[in-house]
Amino acid sequence: MAGRQSPPRRSPEYVWLITGTLTIITIVFGVVLALRDPTWSHHLLAGVLALPFFVLLGTGSRYIQIGRHGTSLGLIEIALVLGFYFMPSVLVVAVSALAVAIRELRRRSAPDRFAFNVAKAGAATAIAGIVLEMLPPIEGSGPATWAVLCVAVTLTTVVTLFAVAAVMATVQGVPAGLEMLRVAWPGLIAAELCIVIGLVFIVALEATWWSAFLLFVLAGVLTLAYRSYSDFLRQHHTLAELYELANAVVESSQDVTLIDSLLVRARSLMQAEYATFRMPPTGRHPEVLLTSKVEAGGLLDISRTPAEITQRATAERRSVAVGSKLATDRDLLPGLKAAGAKDCIVVPLRSGQAVIGTLEVINRLGDFKHFTTTDVQVVETIAAHAAAAVENSRLVERLRYDAYHDRLTSLPNRRRITDALTESVKIRTPGEVVAVILFDVDGLRDVNESMGHDAGDKLLSEVAGRLRKIAGPGALVGRIGGDEFVVTLRAESTEETVRLATEMREQLRGPMAVGTLTLDVDTAAGVAVQPDHGDDPDALLRRAELAANAAKALPYGVQLFHPALESRAVRRLGLAADLRRALDSGELEVHFQPKVTIQDRHLVGVECLARWQHPAHGEVSPEDFVAVAEHTGQLHRLTEVVLTAGLRHCREWADAGRPLSIAVNLSARTLLDPRFPDQVHGLLKQYRVAAGQVTFEISEPSMLGEIERALPTLYRLRDLGVRLSVDDFGTGASSLSYLRQLPVHEVKIDDSFVQGMATDSGDLAIVRAVIGLSREFGLTVVAEGVESELTFDLLAELGCEIGQGYFFSRPLPVERLNTWLSAQTEPEETPTGEVRRLRAVG
């Protein structure tokens, strides 16, 4: 994860320019001070005695809080006040510089830092000494002396601050130096406090040197009291910072803002040089490695923590603290020193029993400051807040992801697709369309029922993976329903979209492995485009779905949306309530179309066909109201109405001496009802019609996938004695298996082949093959769609037995059918009895 880098640093060698300048000032002003006071050498013993106090007071600083600002209270100003009062200025310069040199040697400071601090102390006291020479001479311990010493020592503090600011501006840039001066006022206040203490010491010592003992006792008591107070203040400050950090973590809802808030505050709270947040990659979450450095303007993608420390904290799921003032994990101290770090605390971020990352703080600021056991507890508290916040953030992200993605395939769901379409339609590129291609997977229910839902889920996952590959990088693929997938993309035109949909469908049709089986899965594709089919995302999806439903009936399986599809769907929706009323009130009519033998033109029966004249919409096509009945649970009632009308009229014709058989269409859903054979048996008895006079026609395409489930009902119907016919034969995918599996008595050649046989050699060949095949199986052949004399003659030559179509008669209401029977037929005696024979055909 790329970090945000801090401003470029200049080479530390530039610090030597400032150090050299300060050294020159120290030497020149020191020489001037020595020449101004030739007796300075007489006070060397005082300088030697003062040196330990300068060293002690120079290193005995304490952290104090002034308002909202904290500063380190250095006591060196006390020594300077006493030094300038009791010793020559040149000795103060020398002792001050020598005390700083001793301190830096103890700290083992780098050469550049050693030289700068010594030169800074010497120059500050030398400038103060020159100012003292310019001010009125010190006489007594009165207010005039206070003012002179206050000005001189204050000047040392000011010179020190400007020297440090100059170094920061040189190395880190002018803004860093200015920022240092801006926050330096607490240090000036602390310096003035020390100056006042030094003046009190002078007044007391001038009164009597024995006061030194009292002053030391007082200083000791005040030091102990302030140590307790400062510890309490520091604890209060830590708790306040922890509270603000916790609030900041709670308010940060995203990982990035959380880390920003956490690292900067944690580093500041722990007074560390580095604070690092580390999380390994997991699932959808990438690796996180970000570090806040004390002088950096942003976060860095680095870590100063040795790898073995982080590994131990992660492996043992505990805090690892390494440093000279820490008693734990001492074996890791050499590796820490080799990495150039002083001390380090690494705390694992826990989620339950798992470790999801680490929080690391490295190098306590200050040469004589180190991390302690208390600091480990503070870092653990910060880490606990961080771990909880990260888990909450990821939980929210997961919930948001689940809300917009399908759990099975991880594809965007309908909500995500709708949002993406909303954005896409807002930005329309000239010459392009926003395309919505919906794929409906055929046969999913068969897989679920025969192999289980796990197999169905694997099939859907396979379709999702294949669709991702073939859709291309610029497309968004989603799953919006049980077996419905959608692809949205930009295309050059509507025609290009249809071409892409066709190509995708062909690539999806390949064999798919589901467990140990390899299945050929087909899909139907519906296409809708913006702006041709609307700008509303929901409308585009709905229209693509309507087109996909229509595509199921097409041999090539791809349908572009057109308004007629929607108007039909809306019309069907409005017809549901009207259909129920029509069935209950007898508004639905049953028409009858004659069936005639080809060879001798005998009228052998009629097909019963439902017709509906809607009071508002006019004539409703059977396709529409049958679909409505099927989707609203009224199909059983519709079948009952048609069958009852057919049996009633069959009884009437038999009583009138015109016996005719009837044929009624059955849907696959009706055949799945185990109560249907009992209902047929009851109606046959009620109307005293022989079972052999009834034929049930089963549409071949509607039986795909339902054969096994429908077989028990079919066998029970056959056992009743009714005849079974395969309707629309030749249009399904398993025609031969039907003839072998189903207990059928006849096949009915689909009218699309019969109507084309006179002009299309392919259709003629299909009809010839079906007739020959049916003879082999001992089945009667019925040709529907006979509309010309040429077709009639060809069927006669091929040996087809029964014909049905407009060439004989269109479907007629019962009254008109009776009239047609009287006008177009005449009785003829046969060995089996009297039948009706057509007088003329055509």
Side-chain angles (χ1 to χ4, degrees):
M1 183 174 178
R4 291 161 283 174
Q5 303 296 324
S6 59
R9 296 166 55 93
R10 296 196 183 103
S11 172
E13 296 178 358
Y14 285 96
V15 176
W16 288 102
L17 296 176
I18 299 174
T19 302
T21 303
L22 294 175
T23 303
I24 293 171
I25 292 174
T26 302
I27 294 173
V28 171
F29 286 5
V31 171
V32 171
L33 292 173
L35 293 176
R36 295 270 300 184
D37 186 2
T39 65
W40 65 272
S41 58
H42 300 161
H43 302 276
L44 286 177
L45 181 59
V48 173
L49 295 175
L51 180 60
F53 293 99
F54 270 75
V55 174
L56 177 63
L57 296 175
T59 57
S61 61
R62 294 293 294 169
Y63 180 85
I64 65 172
Q65 188 79 15
I66 303 177
R68 294 181 60 86
H69 297 271
T71 187
S72 180
L73 176 60
L75 305 178
I76 191 62
E77 288 83 2
I78 299 175
L80 290 174
V81 169
L82 296 172
F84 280 124
Y85 183 81
F86 289 109
M87 293 190 305
S89 297
V90 65
L91 270 182
V92 176
V93 174
V95 171
S96 177
L98 186 57
V100 171
I102 294 171
R103 184 190 69 190
E104 295 300 318
L105 286 173
R106 288 180 59 198
R107 293 178 176 178
R108 299 179 183 178
S109 300
D112 55 347
R113 181 172 181 174
F114 176 90
F116 169 73
N117 285 332
V118 172
K120 175 189 66 176
T125 51
I127 293 173
I130 292 297
V131 171
L132 277 177
E133 293 295 326
M134 299 172 61
L135 294 174
I138 297 175
E139 294 180 358
S141 57
T145 299
W146 300 350
V148 171
L149 290 176
C150 184
V151 170
V153 178
T154 299
L155 188 59
T156 62
T157 304
V158 172
V159 171
T160 299
L161 292 175
F162 273 95
V164 174
V167 170
M168 295 183 68
T170 301
V171 177
Q172 300 179 27
V174 175
L178 294 177
E179 177 66 16
M180 189 272 170
L181 291 176
R182 187 183 68 82
V183 299
W185 63 268
L188 287 173
I189 295 177
E192 296 303 317
L193 178 61
C194 290
I195 291 172
V196 170
I197 295 173
L199 293 174
V200 171
F201 279 21
I202 290 174
V203 172
L205 290 172
E206 279 293 324
T208 174
W209 281 94
W210 291 104
S211 64
F213 295 102
L214 298 177
L215 291 174
F216 279 121
V217 173
L218 178 62
V221 172
L222 291 176
T223 300
L224 291 175
Y226 183 73
R227 187 184 297 272
S228 299
Y229 169 73
S230 62
D231 289 340
F232 168 77
L233 203 61
R234 184 169 59 252
Q235 292 175 2
H236 173 75
H237 172 71
T238 301
L239 290 176
E241 288 289 331
L242 282 175
Y243 176 75
E244 293 184 5
L245 185 143
N247 286 338
V249 167
V250 170
E251 293 172 0
S252 302
S253 59
Q254 300 296 325
D255 279 354
V256 176
T257 57
L258 168 64
I259 296 171
D260 281 352
S261 175
L262 173 74
L263 286 180
V264 176
R265 289 176 179 270
R267 182 190 54 73
S268 175
L269 174 62
M270 300 307 302
Q271 300 178 42
E273 183 179 3
Y274 298 93
T276 298
F277 191 94
R278 185 197 306 268
M279 295 182 69
T282 54
R284 302 191 320 273
H285 303 285
E287 179 185 10
V288 177
L289 175 59
L290 289 176
T291 296
S292 173
K293 191 172 184 293
V294 67
E295 73 271 14
L299 299 183
L300 313 175
D301 56 354
I302 62 171
S303 174
R304 289 289 305 277
T305 310
E308 59 267 21
I309 298 180
T310 303
Q311 290 171 0
R312 178 173 293 183
T314 303
E316 299 182 7
R317 299 202 298 271
R318 66 174 179 88
S319 301
V320 175
V322 185
S324 58
K325 301 298 183 181
L326 295 164
T328 59
D329 302 289
R330 302 289 295 180
D331 59 308
L332 297 176
L333 191 56
L336 183 67
K337 298 295 184 183
K342 181 175 61 174
D343 43 16
C344 173
I345 300 174
V346 178
V347 177
L349 304 176
R350 297 185 182 89
S351 174
Q353 295 299 317
V355 174
I356 61 174
T358 55
L359 177 62
E360 309 160 8
V361 289
I362 307 100
N363 284 356
R364 181 72 179 268
L365 294 176
D367 296 307
F368 290 95
K369 293 184 177 180
H370 301 272
F371 291 130
T372 64
T373 304
T374 303
D375 294 320
V376 176
Q377 296 173 351
V378 174
V379 179
E380 287 176 343
T381 302
I382 299 172
H385 284 295
V390 169
E391 281 298 287
N392 290 338
S393 173
R394 290 188 170 182
L395 176 60
V396 171
E397 181 184 347
R398 179 66 190 180
L399 292 174
R400 186 179 295 113
Y401 180 88
D402 290 344
Y404 285 94
H405 289 80
D406 172 56
R407 186 177 295 274
L408 173 63
T409 63
S410 296
L411 291 177
N413 59 14
R414 181 181 290 271
R415 180 184 297 179
R416 175 70 182 92
I417 292 293
T418 302
D419 290 347
L421 278 175
T422 302
E423 296 300 321
S424 297
V425 298
K426 289 180 181 177
I427 306 172
R428 183 185 173 194
T429 305
E432 287 187 342
V433 297
V434 177
V436 179
I437 307 174
L438 189 142
F439 294 92
D440 191 307
V441 181
D442 291 339
L444 177 63
R445 186 174 68 177
D446 299 336
V447 175
N448 286 335
E449 292 177 352
S450 59
M451 302 175 62
H453 286 275
D454 287 343
D457 291 345
K458 290 179 182 179
L459 174 62
L460 292 173
S461 299
E462 179 70 20
V463 173
R466 186 172 295 185
L467 200 54
R468 275 198 199 98
K469 293 179 181 178
I470 67 178
L476 178 63
V477 180
R479 181 186 178 211
I480 63 171
D483 56 0
E484 292 179 340
F485 295 83
V486 68
V487 178
T488 66
L489 47 82
R490 293 186 180 274
E492 296 178 358
S493 63
T494 301
E495 293 75 16
E496 176 68 11
T497 302
V498 174
R499 187 189 67 79
L500 288 173
T502 304
E503 290 183 357
M504 291 182 190
R505 178 179 176 271
E506 288 301 319
Q507 295 179 55
L508 277 174
R509 291 183 68 187
M512 295 184 185
V514 178
T516 59
L517 297 180
T518 300
L519 305 178
D520 285 326
V521 179
D522 201 0
T523 59
V527 179
V529 298
Q530 183 267 346
D532 295 356
H533 304 139
D535 296 322
D536 180 65
D538 290 324
L540 288 171
L541 287 172
R542 185 177 66 252
R543 288 164 182 170
E545 192 168 1
L546 287 172
N549 290 334
K552 295 177 182 179
L554 301 177
Y556 47 86
V558 178
Q559 174 66 60
L560 177 66
F561 173 80
H562 55 81
L565 295 176
E566 189 167 45
S567 61
R568 174 178 291 181
V570 173
R571 186 184 181 195
R572 285 181 177 178
L573 186 63
L575 290 176
D578 296 339
L579 177 60
R580 181 175 287 104
R581 185 177 60 254
L583 289 171
D584 293 339
S585 61
E587 294 180 13
L588 217 67
E589 295 183 357
V590 177
H591 289 196
F592 304 90
Q593 186 173 31
K595 299 170 68 174
V596 179
T597 58
I598 301 293
Q599 301 299 328
D600 49 20
R601 300 179 184 180
H602 289 167
L603 178 63
V604 293
V606 293
E607 181 178 1
C608 305
L609 301 169
R611 294 292 184 264
W612 184 18
Q613 189 71 25
H614 194 278
H617 300 296
E619 185 175 353
V620 181
S621 71
E623 179 185 358
D624 285 344
F625 68 75
V626 169
V628 170
E630 189 166 7
H631 284 87
T632 58
Q634 301 181 71
L635 188 60
H636 181 80
R637 175 69 174 136
L638 175 61
T639 303
E640 180 184 8
V641 167
V642 175
L643 178 58
T644 300
L647 291 174
R648 185 175 67 252
H649 293 300
C650 183
R651 178 73 264 160
E652 293 173 355
W653 292 323
D655 292 342
R658 298 175 177 177
L660 293 176
S661 64
I662 61 171
V664 177
N665 290 295
L666 293 184
S667 74
R669 183 166 297 184
T670 301
L671 291 174
L672 299 179
D673 184 357
R675 299 168 300 174
F676 181 69
D678 294 333
Q679 182 184 25
V680 172
H681 180 63
L683 290 174
L684 290 174
K685 290 180 62 177
Q686 179 181 348
Y687 290 100
R688 297 176 289 111
V689 175
Q693 291 292 102
V694 179
T695 300
F696 286 125
E697 298 182 358
I698 308 152
S699 176
E700 181 187 3
S702 70
M703 284 296 295
L704 287 176
E706 304 290 355
I707 297 177
E708 297 295 334
R709 299 173 63 195
L711 277 176
T713 302
L714 290 172
Y715 279 111
R716 288 180 62 192
L717 290 173
R718 185 200 62 178
D719 293 342
L720 286 177
V722 300
R723 293 174 56 83
L724 299 176
S725 172
V726 177
D727 197 7
D728 303 323
F729 189 82
T731 59
S734 307
S735 299
L736 291 178
S737 65
Y738 275 155
L739 298 184
R740 185 168 52 86
Q741 288 181 267
L742 299 182
V744 296
H745 303 84
E746 72 175 32
V747 294
K748 199 170 186 180
I749 306 175
D750 187 69
D751 57 2
S752 61
F753 302 118
V754 175
Q755 291 172 0
M757 61 183 294
T759 56
D760 189 307
S761 59
D763 289 343
L764 179 60
I766 290 174
V767 173
R768 180 183 291 111
V770 171
I771 294 174
L773 186 65
S774 300
R775 285 176 177 171
E776 293 294 328
F777 281 90
L779 303 176
T780 303
V781 181
V782 179
E784 60 179 345
V786 181
E787 297 185 356
S788 68
E789 187 173 1
L790 178 58
T791 302
F792 180 84
D793 294 339
L794 286 173
L795 289 171
E797 291 178 11
L798 295 175
C800 182
E801 297 166 89
I802 299 174
Q804 175 183 344
Y806 285 6
F807 182 64
F808 307 113
S809 172
R810 65 180 61 249
L812 301 171
V814 65
E815 296 82 4
R816 292 182 58 190
L817 177 67
N818 290 332
T819 302
W820 181 86
L821 286 173
S822 301
Q824 299 294 331
T825 66
E826 58 186 8
E828 180 178 308
E829 292 294 336
T830 66
T832 58
E834 183 180 289
V835 297
R836 308 296 297 185
R837 183 179 186 278
L838 266 67
R839 290 195 176 95
V841 178

